[in-house]
Amino acid sequence: MKRNISLLFGLLLVFGLVLTACEGETKTVIETVVVTVEKIVEGEVVIETQIVEVEVVKTPEPDVKPVTLNYNFGTEPPSLDPSLATDTTSIAVVGNTFVGLTLIDAITNEPVPYLATDWEVGTDADGFQTWTFHLRQDVAWVNYNPVTNETTQVVDADGNPRFVNANDVVYGVKRTVDPATASDYSYVLYIIKNAWEVNNGEEGYTVDDLGVVALDDWTVQFTLANAAGYFPSIASMWVAMPMPQWTIEEWGDKWTEAGLIVTNGPYTLETWIHGGEIVLIKNPLFFNADAVQIERIEGLMITEESTAFALYENNELDTTGVPLPEMDRVKADPVLSAEFYQAPTACTYYYGFTNNKPPFDDVRVRRAFSQAIDRQSLIDNVLKGGQIPATSFAPQGIFGAPEPGTVGLGYDAAAAQASLNEYLTEKGMTLADFNAMGITLMHNTSEGHARIAAAIQQMWKDTLGVDVIVENQEWGVYLDTVDNATPLADMPHIWRLGWCADYPDENNWVHEVFNATAGDNNLRRNCSDEVCTEVTNSTFDELTYQAQAEQDPAVRAQLYAEAERILAAEETAYAPIYHYTTVAVTKPWLVRHYPSVAPLDFFGWTIDWEAKLAATGG
């Protein structure tokens, strides 16, 4: 066998520094090299590509430091793949490196043109609603090369520059819905005709039956299962973004790594040191690059809020959240209070119950645990950020959301005790027997989540006499644990999640999150088996279907209010706890948005660079 290794694309993924150095000094780094390998197989030369790690000595040239945002993502993003991203961290990166058909404006929460210049609604010959989007023709596919430190436009096999077109959109949507992709967020696209059937493997349906088609290179049309006036908002979402088919097919799961990834947004990925940092750099070929002021985003993955806040106070972060123990000090401090920001945002913090795991397969137990949570006390004594107690799911500002406190179950210690006692009596159990079941509450690793869990754990002890075990896991592992495909024995009884709006409509809340057959259904509602491969719809589920198809706004709102009531009070399938407020501090040199619906728009933020350099000595 003869092996001849040569560089193909150069040095790619930066995994970590072997020797750090000051600016301008030589440093040695471990990088991944994409190589061609010639093999002689049965007398013939076969060329393959492989990935190997090598040490490389670099001497960066002195240069003017780019306008840099220092930011903490708070955790490792589980995925930068638009089809696979489900969490706010991943979505924040994806939303700044890829473009959607539309963009949710950070101020108005309305969809505005982005990849699509305009669109119109119509009806096809069978009476189904259609949405037709007309695309820009100047959105380049780009790749960052860490060897040359250049962002260049990708070319096709004939050497022609690649621009995002309608076929890239169609591929991205089909890829998300294709069951082989295993996208946990594919249900968001069930509004598209045949998406549910394709994604659930219904016999006779393939991705080619999906209601999306390229009418020409610059026009894409969607056909919907139900008319939806909010579809331009869905069109902004990452799962519907154009994706680079050729790159995905070449590199498989590795395609989102630094150096391999092909993007089209205002930023591209320079570095992804897993567990360490993500660095985004401005895409000079972005069609609106002149409007992007921040040239570099140095993103950390620090989970401890106290550590991040210390970095902020040391001018090493430009903005960050405020840890719960620091809230009073920040509000009283003359400098920090001037940098403090607090406002409602379209997110809800909740505890999910595993509805098919004993004893939480009994509504009386779920009701007892929900009514034993004193939400206002939690806000006043632990959170201290002006949060709003939640007894239902969607917050104000979302179409169809009920008024706070009008639907669902609030704190009622006597009712909680009576509900649990009724269950124990019927089962012939003592409280000691109940505690012997080892009730677990799990949250992802976070000082804030830990404090909330400790407070609620004590409430359950004081009100119900129940001993709850609190556990935590790293974010990526945690998301896998609370998935409805996890074996029931490995599922905690109770677990925390937050939901933030993808678009401002209740369809994105009660239907897409909790519907047993069309939503994410991490609660495992109506499951007839342990991992929810077989589910049945209840009155709640049927109401969310009706509301999705209903065209009268007043009737839709009534249907959603009833669905919220059933979910939180009648089924008590989960325990809503509070509606979020954004609680953050921001340096005076940074002007940023605090979007309540849209992902973080780093491309819309600005820095007074001279002021930052003066303050940091940079």
Side-chain angles (χ1 to χ4, degrees):
M1 179 180 292
K2 177 183 178 183
R3 178 168 295 183
N4 178 27
I5 299 179
S6 60
L7 293 182
L8 178 62
F9 293 118
L11 308 175
L12 297 176
L13 320 175
V14 181
F15 282 178
L17 299 181
V18 174
L19 175 66
T20 60
C22 299
E23 184 175 356
E25 294 182 0
T26 298
K27 61 182 179 180
T28 303
V29 299
I30 299 295
E31 293 189 340
T32 297
V33 181
V34 179
V35 300
T36 58
V37 178
E38 294 182 3
K39 297 181 179 179
I40 298 177
V41 180
E42 297 181 354
E44 295 185 2
V45 176
V46 177
I47 298 177
E48 297 180 350
T49 58
Q50 294 184 359
I51 299 176
V52 297
E53 291 184 2
V54 296
E55 285 190 8
V56 180
V57 177
K58 285 189 173 183
T59 305
E61 296 181 5
D63 200 358
V64 177
K65 189 173 182 180
V67 177
T68 301
L69 172 72
N70 295 101
Y71 186 80
N72 179 35
F73 286 105
T75 187
E76 170 91 15
S79 177
L80 301 187
D81 186 326
S83 285
L84 301 180
T86 63
D87 63 297
T88 53
T89 306
S90 301
I91 294 162
V93 179
V94 171
N96 282 276
T97 52
F98 290 86
V99 299
L101 286 166
T102 63
L103 175 70
I104 300 296
D105 185 272
I107 306 300
T108 67
N109 290 335
E110 295 295 326
V112 297
Y114 202 21
L115 173 60
T117 58
D118 60 292
W119 51 88
E120 65 261 359
V121 62
T123 306
D124 71 6
D126 296 320
F128 289 96
Q129 188 180 69
T130 61
W131 288 86
T132 306
F133 295 84
H134 306 280
L135 311 187
R136 304 180 62 97
Q137 300 182 27
D138 58 353
V139 180
W141 285 110
V142 301
N143 169 257
Y144 172 76
N145 186 324
V147 177
T148 62
N149 295 323
E150 292 180 333
T151 299
T152 58
Q153 187 167 1
V154 177
V155 297
D156 63 19
D158 297 323
N160 300 313
R162 288 187 184 270
F163 291 94
V164 178
N165 61 41
N167 294 299
D168 299 324
V169 177
V170 171
Y171 170 76
V173 172
K174 286 185 174 180
R175 179 172 178 264
T176 297
V177 175
D178 188 339
T181 304
S183 168
D184 287 336
Y185 231 72
S186 56
Y187 58 84
V188 175
L189 300 179
Y190 284 179
I191 191 68
I192 300 172
K193 185 180 178 183
N194 295 331
W196 185 91
E197 290 81 358
V198 171
N199 190 245
N200 286 275
E202 289 290 291
E203 186 176 353
Y205 288 89
T206 71
V207 290
D208 292 331
D209 297 308
L210 193 62
V212 59
V213 62
L215 300 182
D216 57 46
D217 282 349
W218 311 108
T219 312
V220 62
Q221 184 176 83
F222 293 84
T223 302
L224 305 189
N226 295 308
Y230 49 84
F231 187 73
S233 293
I234 293 179
S236 74
M237 295 178 62
W238 52 99
V239 287
M241 287 178 173
M243 301 178 206
Q245 180 176 0
W246 67 95
T247 296
I248 295 170
E249 291 178 349
E250 180 176 7
W251 298 110
D253 293 342
K254 295 182 180 294
W255 83 272
T256 55
E257 296 291 349
L260 298 181
I261 191 169
V262 172
T263 58
N264 53 41
Y267 292 95
T268 190
L269 181 64
E270 181 196 81
T271 303
W272 185 3
I273 300 176
H274 293 278
E277 68 172 348
I278 277 187
V279 177
L280 305 180
I281 56 172
K282 179 178 174 178
N283 171 14
L285 303 179
F286 182 58
F287 70 86
N288 198 25
D290 289 346
V292 180
Q293 191 249 356
I294 296 175
E295 299 169 295
R296 183 178 179 85
I297 300 163
E298 296 183 352
L300 302 178
M301 304 174 188
I302 299 170
T303 59
E304 298 81 12
E305 293 95 331
S306 57
T307 302
F309 190 73
L311 291 175
Y312 176 85
E313 290 199 278
N314 199 40
N315 286 338
E316 295 178 66
L317 288 176
D318 296 315
T319 184
T320 194
V322 179
L324 300 182
E326 300 286 359
M327 198 71 68
D328 292 337
R329 179 170 74 88
V330 167
K331 292 178 179 179
D333 184 278
V335 174
L336 291 173
S337 62
E339 300 171 356
F340 181 70
Y341 177 88
Q342 176 181 310
T345 190
C347 299
T348 299
Y349 193 103
Y350 70 97
Y351 276 178
F353 299 131
T354 304
N355 282 209
N356 64 339
K357 181 166 187 171
F360 288 86
D361 57 346
D362 193 296
V363 67
R364 293 168 296 188
V365 175
R366 302 195 297 266
R367 188 173 294 130
F369 274 69
S370 180
Q371 290 188 288
I373 300 173
D374 188 341
R375 294 155 175 84
Q376 190 62 59
S377 174
L378 180 73
I379 292 166
D380 293 341
N381 299 305
V382 179
L383 299 169
K384 301 180 181 180
Q387 293 83 359
I388 300 168
T391 58
S392 55
F393 197 43
Q396 290 297 284
I398 302 300
F399 173 82
E403 289 288 331
T406 62
V407 168
L409 302 174
Y411 173 60
D412 189 331
Q417 293 164 359
S419 188
L420 182 60
N421 287 335
E422 181 182 332
Y423 169 83
L424 295 175
T425 299
E426 181 183 297
K427 299 295 184 181
M429 296 174 63
T430 65
L431 191 57
D433 296 330
F434 188 86
N435 283 328
M437 299 179 75
I439 304 300
T440 57
L441 163 65
M442 185 176 288
H443 61 82
N444 56 294
T445 304
S446 158
E447 292 171 339
H449 298 327
R451 288 179 179 275
I452 293 169
I456 295 178
Q457 177 190 42
Q458 190 62 48
M459 292 176 188
W460 286 331
K461 177 65 174 178
D462 294 343
T463 302
L464 302 175
V466 174
D467 296 315
V468 173
I469 303 163
V470 177
E471 300 175 351
N472 73 90
Q473 292 180 336
E474 179 274 325
W475 182 232
V477 175
Y478 180 75
L479 288 177
D480 289 338
T481 296
V482 300
D483 186 82
N484 59 23
T486 297
L488 193 61
D490 298 332
M491 277 291 292
H493 298 89
I494 314 163
W495 36 270
R496 71 69 48 188
L497 276 178
W499 182 259
C500 296
D502 300 317
Y503 55 91
D505 192 282
E506 268 274 27
N507 186 73
N508 183 230
W509 291 72
V510 290
H511 182 76
E512 291 179 350
V513 180
F514 293 134
N515 186 285
T517 55
D520 196 31
N521 196 24
N522 282 3
L523 300 176
R524 305 192 183 207
R525 299 178 50 257
N526 309 342
C527 294
S528 55
D529 64 335
E530 287 195 354
V531 292
C532 285
T533 56
E534 299 177 11
V535 293
T536 56
N537 280 337
S538 67
T539 302
F540 163 82
D541 302 290
E542 296 302 332
L543 282 171
T544 70
Y545 276 119
Q546 292 174 33
Q548 183 186 67
E550 177 60 52
Q551 298 304 297
D552 185 325
V555 175
R556 286 189 79 222
Q558 292 173 359
L559 291 169
Y560 281 130
E562 178 62 7
E564 288 265 24
R565 184 197 67 79
I566 291 174
L567 188 70
E570 188 173 306
E571 292 188 11
T572 320
Y574 75 120
I577 298 176
Y578 63 85
H579 302 304
Y580 283 54
T581 52
T582 296
V583 179
V585 282
T586 298
K587 295 297 182 181
W589 53 77
L590 172 64
V591 177
R592 59 161 295 183
H593 296 133
Y594 296 91
S596 62
V597 174
L600 291 175
D601 60 331
F602 297 133
F603 51 87
W605 299 9
T606 58
I607 291 176
D608 183 334
W609 190 231
E610 291 185 0
K612 178 174 178 177
L613 290 177
T616 60

